[in-house]
């Protein structure tokens, strides 16, 4: 075997071990390698096991029931290079190799080679199946369900675990790493980490880690007994980066990464012997990831998934008595229930949050909480109480930030108060004040695409109430365009609901133009006829 061939074998051996640990069968590993190596199916299956030709030959000769046709390494190489050169394997040889590789004989030959066998040989090949010998059965990768996600038809709840990348995704990951990292050892390390963190999207996160941080996390992933405060700090860094990625791209990109990190931390908590201080910090990280996961599920309109994650986060936060996170989680649940129209449950969680928010000592959290309270009160028609809560929020946001303010509230600013003032004024039936609040919010810098999109929807709704239909339709188009940059189902659904309120003016030229654009953006399924 040449030096290059041996290096490829070692690379495949390491990658196969990583994929097998994720639950992939040898057949699936071979499929992944097929997208990366231009070799025959027979060689791909040998690479999926990381075996040398000598090892396969020895096993073959032990299994040969006739004990007469001894296989040599040279002949195995001939089989693996056919039909470009070498020699076609006999059907009987394929049955023995299928037993070695725990697969079907049919998978070991390409279509054009299979077609060259006699009918009798093809029948033998077709009936040879040793997949039951593989301890990992092929994993089923469920397809995503089509159709718009709406308030009436929420997103499908996941099974509670991060989905492992499909074989095609793993092959794409190998190609991406080949372009990104020249050093083979570093490439294998990144491959292992990316698999543990959700696949190709995780590469964007790993770029923000130093080589030392990557090494530390990889050791913790591979073996027990290596989780320390520095390891937890790396996971916290990745979690903070996930929040920023959500601001930029939305939940569809970020959720698989967050779920994978959450599973990783849960694994650490299950298997590691930790000091009380380290365990508490890891529990806090798990709670933080569960809260973020809940938010992402909510933004996808997967209410059962969001509730499940928020409840997990609450359980973890209560274990360590994290007052700020407990209060914030109740506010998140209130926000979700308000979106669903359950104002009673929304109020229950707002009141459950109140004492925890006070105990946290965070002015930033107090401002968020007061705004959430104002939203619920506006929806129930309590104008004075809602306005008072908004005033409290505006006052609290002016306090200097301190160590009690959670890092995950980095996004909350005075502009958030303005945007939510617009929501409250709209709920209270005051379009003029809504427009003033919206214009103030849009005039200020607003990095979060989702917040900007929601602000445009409030603006359009206020204009609809004022019967300014051309301006409302044009404004709603601005919100719709942001759905191409951010994968929030909630924003897309808000745009659809606002468009429904324009139905009395469906023949208006501006509304017809809006309909055409919504159809082009796949927000609605019908266009102007």
């Amino acid at each position: 075997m040449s030096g290059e061939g041996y290096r490829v074998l070692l690379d495949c051996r390491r990658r196969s071990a990583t994929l097998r640990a994720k639950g992939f069968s040898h057949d699936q590993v071979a499929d992944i390698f097929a997208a990366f190596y231009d070799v025959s199916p027979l060689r791909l299956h040998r690479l999926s096991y990381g075996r040398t030709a000598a090892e396969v030959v020895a096993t073959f000769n032990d299994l040969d029931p006739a004990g007469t046709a001894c296989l040599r390494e040279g002949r195995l190489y001939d089989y693996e290079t056919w039909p470009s050169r070498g020699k076609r394997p006999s059907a009987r040889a394929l049955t023995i190799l299928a037993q070695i590789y725990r697969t079907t004989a049919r998978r070991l030959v390409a279509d054009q080679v299979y077609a060259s066998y006699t009918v009798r040989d093809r029948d033998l090949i077709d009936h040879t199946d040793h997949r039951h010998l593989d301890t990992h059965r092929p994993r089923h990768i469920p397809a995503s369900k089509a159709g718009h996600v709406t308030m009436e038809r929420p997103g499908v709840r996941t099974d509670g675990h991060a989905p492992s990348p499909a074989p095609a995704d793993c092959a794409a990951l190998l190609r991406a790493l080949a372009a990104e990292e020249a050093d083979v050892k570093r490439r294998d390390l990144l491959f292992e980490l990316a698999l543990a963190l959700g696949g190709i999207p995780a590469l964007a996160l790993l770029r923000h880690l130093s080589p030392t941080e990557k090494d530390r996390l990889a050791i913790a992933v591979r073996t027990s007994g290596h989780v320390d405060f520095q390891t937890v700090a790396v996971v916290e860094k990745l979690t903070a980066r996930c929040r920023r990625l959500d601001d930029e791209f939305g939940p569809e990109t970020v959720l698989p990464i967050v779920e994978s990190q959450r599973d990783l931390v849960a694994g650490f908590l299950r298997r590691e012997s930790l000091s009380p201080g380290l365990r508490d910090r890891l529990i806090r990280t798990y709670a933080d990831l569960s809260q973020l996961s809940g938010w992402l599920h909510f933004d996808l309109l997967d209410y059962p998934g969001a509730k499940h994650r928020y409840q997990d986060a609450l359980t973890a936060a209560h274990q360590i008595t994290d007052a700020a996170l407990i209060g914030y989680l109740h506010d998140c649940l209130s926000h979700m229930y308000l979106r669903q129209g359950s104002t009673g449950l929304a109020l229950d969680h707002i009141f459950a949050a109140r004492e925890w928010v006070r105990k946290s000592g965070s002015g930033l959290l107090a401002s968020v909480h007061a705004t959430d309270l104002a939203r619920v009160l506006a929806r129930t028609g309590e104008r004075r109480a809602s306005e008072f809560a908004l005033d409290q929020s505006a006052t609290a946001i002016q306090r200097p930030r301190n160590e009690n303010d959670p890092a995950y509230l980095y996004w909350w600013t005075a502009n958030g108060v303005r945007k939510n003032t617009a929501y409250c004024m709209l709920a209270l039936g005051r379009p003029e004040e809504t427009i003033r609040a919206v214009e103030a919010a849009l005039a200020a810098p607003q990095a979060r695409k989702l917040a900007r999109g929601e602000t445009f929807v409030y603006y359009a709704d206020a204009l609809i109430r004022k019967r300014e239909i051309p301006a409302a339709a044009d404004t709603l188009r601005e919100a719709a365009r942001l759905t191409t940059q951010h994968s929030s189902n909630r924003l897309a659904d808000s745009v659809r609901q606002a468009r429904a309120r324009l139905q009395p003016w469906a023949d208006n030229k501006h509304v017809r133009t809006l309909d055409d654009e919504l159809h082009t953006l796949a927000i609605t399924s019908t266009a102007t006829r």
Side-chain angles (χ1 to χ4, degrees):
M1 183 186 297
S2 67
E4 176 63 17
Y6 192 62
R7 184 190 66 77
V8 170
L9 180 68
L10 291 179
D11 288 350
C12 290
R13 186 179 292 169
R14 284 191 296 267
R15 289 166 182 164
S16 179
T18 301
L19 290 166
R20 294 281 289 171
K22 296 290 287 184
F24 286 88
S25 70
H26 279 294
D27 280 358
Q28 289 177 317
V29 174
D31 289 341
I32 291 167
F33 288 171
F36 201 64
Y37 300 107
D38 186 18
V39 295
S40 70
L42 196 55
R43 180 164 293 178
L44 287 170
H45 279 79
R46 178 161 67 84
L47 293 177
S48 77
Y49 278 85
R51 291 180 181 176
T52 64
E55 290 170 332
V56 172
V57 165
T59 307
F60 184 99
N61 291 329
D62 288 341
L63 290 174
D64 183 5
T68 54
C70 183
L71 183 66
R72 304 183 310 277
E73 284 187 51
R75 182 60 73 204
L76 179 62
Y77 286 133
D78 285 343
Y79 291 166
E80 290 181 343
T81 55
W82 181 263
S84 60
R85 60 181 184 275
K87 180 178 175 64
R88 190 187 73 173
S90 67
R92 191 175 65 80
L94 287 177
T95 64
I96 299 172
L97 289 166
Q99 186 176 354
I100 293 171
Y101 299 138
R102 300 179 179 182
T103 187
T104 64
R106 180 64 183 87
R107 282 185 56 88
L108 298 180
V109 289
D111 291 342
Q112 65 186 98
V113 177
Y114 173 77
S116 70
Y117 288 95
T118 65
V119 173
R120 182 177 179 180
D121 283 345
R122 287 203 300 269
D123 188 59
L124 176 61
I125 291 170
D126 290 341
H127 286 85
T128 301
D129 186 348
H130 294 286
R131 287 176 296 180
H132 62 281
L133 298 173
D134 193 343
T135 53
H136 293 353
R137 300 296 295 150
R139 299 164 51 257
H140 170 67
I141 308 296
S144 7
K145 301 203 174 188
H148 295 302
V149 176
T150 65
M151 284 285 290
E152 291 73 29
R153 185 172 59 190
V156 178
R157 178 181 168 181
T158 64
D159 62 3
H161 295 283
S164 295
D169 297 328
C170 292
L173 175 59
L174 284 169
R175 288 194 294 270
L177 286 170
E180 178 152 329
E181 179 58 66
D183 184 272
V184 175
K185 289 185 178 178
R186 301 300 300 174
R187 192 187 303 163
D188 283 338
L189 181 143
L190 285 174
F191 179 64
E192 188 170 356
L193 285 178
L195 275 184
L197 296 173
I200 288 181
L203 291 180
L205 284 183
L206 293 173
R207 293 188 190 110
H208 292 269
L209 298 184
S210 68
T212 302
E213 289 172 327
K214 291 172 188 172
D215 289 339
R216 178 173 284 117
L217 187 57
I219 291 170
V221 168
R222 287 171 182 158
T223 56
S224 299
H226 290 89
V227 176
D228 54 19
F229 283 103
Q230 288 81 8
T231 306
V232 180
V234 173
V235 179
E236 290 170 345
K237 182 177 179 178
L238 291 175
T239 305
R241 183 60 191 164
C242 281
R243 292 185 183 277
R244 300 285 184 174
L245 285 176
D246 176 46
D247 293 342
E248 190 172 354
F249 300 109
E252 201 170 82
T253 300
V254 183
L255 182 58
I257 309 174
V258 172
E259 294 285 37
S260 296
Q261 279 184 254
R262 184 177 174 275
D263 284 354
L264 183 65
V265 173
F268 290 160
L269 286 167
R270 280 194 305 269
R271 79 178 194 220
E272 301 287 345
S273 296
L274 306 166
S275 66
L278 181 55
R279 175 165 288 276
D280 283 356
R281 185 163 169 184
L282 204 55
I283 290 172
R284 181 172 285 106
T285 303
Y286 177 81
D288 193 11
L289 283 163
S290 296
Q291 181 280 321
L292 177 55
S293 173
W295 168 260
L296 298 173
H297 279 284
F298 168 55
D299 207 17
L300 289 170
L301 296 183
D302 173 13
Y303 300 126
K307 180 182 177 182
H308 182 61
R309 288 290 181 262
Y310 284 150
Q311 294 292 353
D312 276 357
L314 268 175
T315 300
H318 274 290
Q319 284 183 40
I320 53 174
T321 321
D322 186 330
L325 187 52
I326 294 169
Y328 183 48
L329 283 162
H330 280 296
D331 281 341
C332 288
L333 282 160
S334 172
H335 198 84
M336 182 188 75
Y337 283 121
L338 186 63
R339 171 82 189 192
Q340 293 178 273
S342 302
T343 52
L345 287 171
L347 270 174
D348 286 348
H349 282 285
I350 280 291
F351 291 134
R354 177 177 293 174
E355 185 60 20
W356 291 107
V357 171
R358 186 190 65 78
K359 284 181 179 179
S360 74
S362 168
L364 206 56
L365 182 57
S367 177
V368 171
H369 174 72
T371 297
D372 284 332
L373 172 61
R375 289 167 61 95
V376 179
L377 293 171
R379 284 284 291 273
T380 57
E382 298 182 50
R383 181 179 64 82
R384 289 185 180 277
S386 179
E387 289 176 343
F388 180 72
L390 286 171
D391 287 342
Q392 285 184 313
S393 179
T395 301
I397 196 64
Q398 300 302 323
R399 299 181 199 167
R401 300 202 176 194
N402 57 49
E403 68 278 0
N404 294 322
D405 292 326
Y408 49 76
L409 293 182
Y410 66 91
W411 52 272
W412 185 250
T413 64
N415 213 39
V417 181
R418 297 185 194 104
K419 187 203 89 167
N420 283 282
T421 297
Y423 173 93
C424 294
M425 294 303 105
L426 188 64
L428 291 167
R430 295 153 68 177
E432 293 288 355
E433 290 169 81
T434 301
I435 291 171
R436 283 198 294 271
V438 161
E439 289 174 344
L442 292 175
Q446 201 170 75
R448 299 175 78 227
K449 295 171 184 175
L450 175 58
R452 189 168 181 83
E454 289 176 326
T455 306
F456 277 124
V457 172
Y458 302 158
Y459 200 178
D461 270 332
L463 291 168
I464 292 170
R465 294 195 182 195
K466 293 187 68 182
R467 301 295 192 269
E468 296 181 17
I469 305 308
D474 292 346
T475 301
L476 200 55
R477 288 170 64 195
E478 293 292 331
R481 288 167 187 163
L482 285 169
T483 64
T484 65
Q485 304 169 35
H486 194 281
S487 60
S488 169
N489 285 344
R490 199 157 47 92
L491 177 58
D493 189 51
S494 294
V495 171
R496 281 191 287 273
Q497 290 182 48
R499 165 57 188 87
R501 289 187 280 275
L502 282 169
Q503 192 57 29
W505 301 275
D507 292 332
N508 181 282
K509 178 181 70 174
H510 294 269
V511 176
R512 288 167 66 86
T513 301
L514 169 66
D515 285 342
D516 289 340
E517 185 154 354
L518 294 183
H519 178 68
T520 301
L521 296 175
I523 293 174
T524 60
S525 54
T526 57
T528 299
R529 286 175 171 76

